[in-house]
Amino acid sequence: MRFKAELLNAEEVRRALHRIAHEIVEANKGVEGLALVGIHTRGIPLAERIARYIREFEGKEVPVGMLDITLYRDDLSEIGIRPQVRQTRIPFDLTGKAVVLVDDVLYTGRTARAALDALMDLGRPRRIYLAVLVDRGHRELPIRADFVGKNVPTAKNEVVKVKVEEVDGEDRVELWEREEA
Amino acid sequence: MRHLLDFQGWTRGQVESLLDTARVMAEVLERPVKRVPALRGFTVATVFFEPSTRTRLSFELAARRMSADVVSFAAQASSLQKGESYKDTLLTLEAMGIDAYVIRADAAGVPHQAARWVKGVVVNGGDGRRAHPTQALLDAYTLLEALGSLEGKKIAIVGDILHSRVARSNVELLPLLGAEVWVAGPPTLLPQRLPGARLTPHLDEALAEADAVMVLRLQKERMEAGLIHLQDYIAHYQVTERRLRKAKPHALLLHPGPMNRDVELEGTLADSERSLVNRQVHNGVAVRMAVLYHLLVGREG
């Protein structure tokens, strides 16, 4: 793969998440009944950071859960690798909550669909929002994000790599291009 | 891993990966909706040439919890009674589009043979005295849940070792996770050798400082065959409160069931806090979900 561009640097990632945190609180008219659920892997630290920013400016704790959607995917035969199933942990009752699903990249929409199915099996949220750091387009399902850090029009042969401090040691979003075989 | 027949050629990493998945499946079983769509579109057949209650039900529940379709074949009510062979029975099922076969047979090697006949994946649900890999996996899972790690832990397996597929599979599996396995039983019910385990006819030696004791069912047919007298067995090999004092203070007790209370195990012990018997049955579903998931979703080619 060939590196093409830096889409967001560490400061821009911080600013985008900060803005998303404000937008969430505004949309929900406060933090009452609000909960965040990060989708494995990088959605989890992003959700934790958004919760931290909300605590900083609202002075209130928003619960954070983690969701693995592997068992709900409909494209496992296509990805052709042994899927690694990880822990789902939602340490609060989803019923009646306004839940914000948090992921790093929104692409085809299949992960978001799987996450919606998984959440519905775990409880009955009052409503579900979707927050993503990058929306790169190419949806295959009628799904859109409520909160977006950055919209990036991409080509299908391009790859968006989100790096986060907690997993990758740095905050950065990169655009790569797959080279022809 | 194309089939699960035994643990020949398995690595510690493969076992740990499967048990990690079982932990996630256990969490699914705690949810209000105990079902995920992971195996939607797959069909699992339980093909039991030998009767079983818990293994068959456990596999069927595991498959259903992952949204697979399940068909159940029991030899007693089948064309096997009219002389149909194992092979033709399996090929009949194959023609119906089965993706996974869970096979239980009284003869060793039937699942291995079946794996050559059918295109689907084969899980050994217990064959003769040879192997019962999913029982060993759920035993390992239950031990790990209670002990945290099996590294350097001493596990004693007690009873009719010679005829036990459970013992054989555990002796293959537990050392892969770092455990030291001892097996004890009457000389007539001990094999000459069992790679992976220390053999002894002295129960106290196997129990000494053990972290866990796995008690096997004493089968009636062994008594009828004159391999052991019941009263002798109880006198020398029954796991009792008193004998268990040789083991570590909180040594755990396992039994693959069905249990002959007050024969191989003192009844009060079976119901005590040390007993993991119900946990084993409970964990069986999660472990079998992990096995079916790894074989069907993770299959190669």
Side-chain angles (χ1 to χ4, degrees):
Chain A
M1 280 206 296
R2 189 174 67 83
F3 176 77
K4 278 189 86 176
E6 180 182 77
L7 299 175
L8 294 172
N9 63 27
E11 181 53 26
E12 287 164 332
V13 168
R14 191 197 64 78
R15 222 178 284 139
L17 292 175
H18 217 262
R19 178 171 48 76
I20 287 174
H22 278 282
E23 286 174 357
I24 289 171
V25 173
E26 193 164 332
N28 192 59
K29 298 182 173 60
V31 296
E32 193 59 41
L34 191 65
L36 301 175
V37 172
I39 301 174
H40 267 290
T41 302
R42 288 168 182 79
I44 294 167
L46 295 181
E48 283 164 350
R49 277 197 234 175
I50 292 171
R52 196 173 73 226
Y53 295 148
I54 292 176
R55 188 173 59 234
E56 280 167 15
F57 62 74
E58 286 289 306
K60 286 181 184 156
E61 208 66 53
V62 175
V64 180
M66 56 172 83
L67 185 68
D68 182 74
I69 50 93
T70 312
L71 296 172
Y72 287 80
R73 288 181 74 141
D74 64 353
D75 57 350
L76 287 172
S77 55
E78 285 166 34
I79 58 177
I81 50 161
R82 173 162 303 166
Q84 190 195 353
V85 192
R86 290 152 302 194
Q87 206 75 40
T88 287
R89 202 169 60 81
I90 313 279
F92 50 86
D93 186 4
L94 285 165
T95 304
K97 290 263 188 328
V99 177
V100 184
L101 272 173
V102 183
D103 205 0
D104 53 355
V105 180
L106 178 57
Y107 181 30
T108 61
R110 289 179 188 274
T111 299
R113 185 208 64 86
L116 289 171
D117 284 350
L119 271 190
M120 295 301 192
D121 279 355
L122 291 165
R124 195 178 182 287
R126 177 166 56 80
R127 74 162 293 168
I128 302 174
Y129 295 102
L130 177 61
V132 295
L133 184 59
V134 177
D135 182 348
R136 61 164 294 192
H138 301 287
R139 218 75 80 237
E140 291 170 4
L141 298 170
I143 282 173
R144 66 165 186 82
D146 300 280
F147 313 106
V148 180
K150 187 177 175 72
N151 282 293
V152 184
T154 58
K156 278 240 174 187
N157 66 340
E158 289 173 332
V159 175
V160 174
K161 281 190 188 177
V162 171
K163 294 180 176 175
V164 293
E165 183 76 42
E166 296 87 334
V167 180
D168 312 288
E170 61 172 335
D171 285 342
R172 188 172 146 93
V173 180
E174 298 168 344
L175 184 66
W176 291 69
E177 185 178 32
R178 264 195 216 97
E179 279 158 316
E180 295 298 317
Chain B
M1 177 171 67
R2 170 102 172 88
H3 307 285
L4 174 56
L5 303 172
D6 49 38
F7 297 111
Q8 300 291 318
W10 274 57
T11 63
R12 183 174 185 150
Q14 284 174 308
V15 177
E16 286 174 343
S17 161
L18 201 124
L19 296 179
D20 282 346
T21 303
R23 269 177 217 107
V24 174
M25 297 305 184
E27 180 266 313
V28 168
L29 297 176
E30 300 293 321
R31 295 180 186 179
V33 178
K34 298 172 180 54
R35 183 187 282 253
V36 288
L39 295 188
R40 200 163 48 190
F42 287 107
T43 305
V44 175
T46 52
V47 186
F48 278 57
F49 297 121
E50 184 191 67
S52 150
T53 307
R54 71 195 71 206
T55 305
R56 186 170 59 78
L57 289 179
S58 179
F59 267 111
E60 291 181 3
L61 198 54
R64 290 201 171 98
R65 294 294 195 216
M66 291 187 293
S67 306
D69 293 314
V70 179
V71 292
S72 179
F73 170 90
Q76 296 83 352
S78 74
S79 292
L80 273 184
Q81 303 301 320
K82 300 178 194 166
E84 188 173 62
S85 68
Y86 285 177
K87 182 175 181 179
D88 285 336
T89 301
L90 286 161
L91 292 180
T92 300
L93 287 165
E94 177 91 341
M96 293 180 188
I98 303 299
D99 299 293
Y101 302 80
V102 180
I103 299 178
R104 155 78 58 104
D106 53 5
V110 173
H112 294 70
Q113 195 57 46
R116 293 186 201 109
W117 293 330
V118 297
K119 290 193 192 77
V121 303
V122 174
V123 183
N124 186 350
D127 66 325
R129 60 171 81 171
R130 195 179 175 285
H132 194 354
T134 58
Q135 176 69 42
L137 282 167
L138 74 89
D139 291 338
Y141 181 92
T142 306
L143 284 166
L144 284 169
E145 190 180 51
L147 296 170
S149 157
L150 293 188
E151 199 60 59
K153 298 287 194 302
K154 179 178 176 181
I155 314 293
I157 306 178
V158 180
D160 177 1
I161 308 296
L162 185 65
H163 301 96
S164 173
R165 53 192 171 209
V166 174
R168 251 174 208 80
S169 282
N170 269 297
V171 166
E172 279 183 356
L173 179 67
L174 296 177
L176 275 179
L177 296 168
E180 179 192 331
V181 182
W182 283 69
V183 298
T188 48
L189 297 176
L190 268 183
Q192 296 262 308
R193 52 189 293 278
L194 196 55
R198 306 271 298 264
L199 280 70
T200 174
H202 306 294
L203 180 61
D204 286 354
E205 194 181 1
L207 294 185
E209 293 301 307
D211 294 277
V213 183
M214 191 179 294
V215 188
L216 303 176
R217 183 169 69 95
L218 186 66
Q219 295 167 34
K220 251 195 199 147
E221 54 270 31
R222 313 294 170 226
M223 297 173 227
E224 283 156 10
L227 291 170
I228 185 79
H229 291 290
L230 181 63
Q231 289 314 319
D232 282 352
Y233 186 88
I234 291 173
H236 296 104
Y237 293 98
Q238 185 187 71
V239 175
T240 62
E241 197 91 53
R242 185 179 58 80
R243 290 208 173 104
L244 206 54
R245 284 188 205 127
K246 298 267 182 212
K248 290 225 173 109
H250 300 288
L252 303 163
L253 280 167
L254 293 91
H255 192 303
M259 191 190 302
N260 298 308
R261 278 173 181 267
D262 292 317
V263 175
E264 61 261 11
L265 180 64
E266 209 168 38
T268 49
L269 276 178
D271 302 324
S272 70
E273 281 183 3
R274 299 167 142 209
S275 168
L276 297 177
V277 175
N278 290 333
R279 238 12 243 171
Q280 287 173 276
V281 178
H282 176 84
N283 291 338
V285 178
V287 166
R288 287 169 175 130
M289 285 170 79
V291 167
L292 290 172
Y293 184 75
H294 270 238
L295 290 176
L296 284 168
V297 177
R299 68 181 156 174
E300 294 143 18

